[in-house]
Amino acid sequence: MLDEIYYLVKFANFSHENLIRMPIYERRYYLAKLIQEFEKKKEFTRFIKSKISINKKGIIEVEVLKGQESFRIKSLIKSNNWAIFKSGKENFKKGELIDCFKPLVIQ
């Protein structure tokens, strides 16, 4: 990734916008508080389209969006995050901490 930054600085008109558009090769995981209950099959890990926000207390919250089927576009457009519901557990309660990550964006 350092090579990409070097070439971006050397050959492009360096600006904040160029830096944002750079490919991100690492996904950064973080924990977010689930704001509603979620249920899935115990033996599967699910990557769910979701939306994160920060409440008044500064806590990251995650909302599972409706319409998770692959042909549903609306939830994909509204999402800004992927929530990971790992195998081995069937029911996730409101207030639990869930692993989340931002989608990989390459422009």
Side-chain angles (χ1 to χ4, degrees):
M1 184 152 174
L2 291 176
D3 290 334
E4 286 85 2
I5 293 172
Y6 172 76
Y7 287 114
L8 182 65
V9 171
K10 186 170 174 116
F11 298 112
N13 189 6
F14 187 74
S15 69
H16 180 67
E17 289 179 25
N18 290 4
L19 189 58
I20 289 173
R21 290 191 182 119
M22 285 178 53
I24 299 169
Y25 297 105
E26 290 183 33
R27 290 195 174 114
R28 306 217 184 239
Y29 293 87
Y30 51 92
L31 293 174
K33 189 176 182 180
L34 188 60
I35 63 171
Q36 81 259 43
E37 292 184 2
F38 184 75
E39 189 176 311
K40 68 168 190 64
K41 291 185 179 180
K42 188 175 185 175
E43 58 273 1
F44 293 114
T45 295
R46 299 273 318 264
F47 294 84
I48 301 295
K49 292 173 262 189
S50 57
K51 186 169 184 161
I52 58 165
S53 59
I54 299 174
N55 68 15
K56 292 178 183 178
K57 294 180 181 179
I59 297 171
I60 301 172
E61 296 179 327
V62 61
E63 173 189 3
V64 174
L65 299 174
K66 293 181 181 179
Q68 292 294 323
E69 298 88 352
S70 61
F71 60 89
R72 303 273 182 177
I73 305 281
K74 196 175 209 178
S75 61
L76 184 62
I77 292 170
K78 287 183 177 182
S79 71
N80 63 0
N81 181 64
W82 291 98
I84 306 167
F85 294 90
K86 296 181 180 177
S87 62
K89 192 170 181 182
E90 202 169 281
N91 296 312
F92 295 83
K93 295 179 183 178
K94 179 180 177 178
E96 282 190 54
L97 294 177
I98 303 297
D99 285 333
C100 298
F101 68 89
K102 290 285 203 179
L104 179 65
V105 178
I106 299 175
Q107 295 180 343

